[in-house]
Amino acid sequence: MLYGRAAFILDDETGILPLEVLGHCNPNAYDGLPQDGDRVRVTGIVEVMSSHLPRQVRIQAMSLQVINPSN
C-alpha cells in the first residue's frame, strides 16, 4: 500500500516542474503512478515557492492520469 507521497519531475517542451502526489491507502494506488516516459494529465495546485528569480514552482496533484504508457 502507498501511504506516503510520490514525487516526480514533469518535463515537456516548455520546461521542467516538480510534482508531488499525496499518499493514498488504496491497495491499487501504486499501479496508477506513472513510469519514466509516460504521458500524463495532471490537475493540481501550482505553488510558487519563491517570487524572486529564479522562481521555484511545484505542483501538488489533485488527480493524475496516465494517458500514454511507455511500456
Side-chain angles (χ1 to χ4, degrees):
M1 292 188 190
L2 179 68
Y3 291 104
R5 292 187 197 193
F8 304 96
I9 300 293
L10 289 180
D11 183 1
D12 68 9
E13 64 276 355
T14 63
I16 298 173
L17 281 175
L19 169 72
E20 291 183 353
V21 180
L22 297 179
H24 201 290
C25 60
N26 180 337
N28 299 321
Y30 181 80
D31 296 334
L33 295 176
Q35 304 297 316
D36 282 348
D38 287 352
R39 294 187 66 182
V40 297
R41 177 176 294 130
V42 177
T43 302
I45 298 170
V46 175
E47 298 175 295
V48 178
M49 309 306 288
S50 171
S51 59
H52 302 291
L53 295 177
R55 288 188 171 84
Q56 295 178 339
V57 179
R58 71 177 179 190
I59 299 175
Q60 186 176 32
M62 306 305 282
S63 71
L64 178 71
Q65 176 185 14
V66 177
I67 298 171
N68 186 16
S70 59
N71 301 357

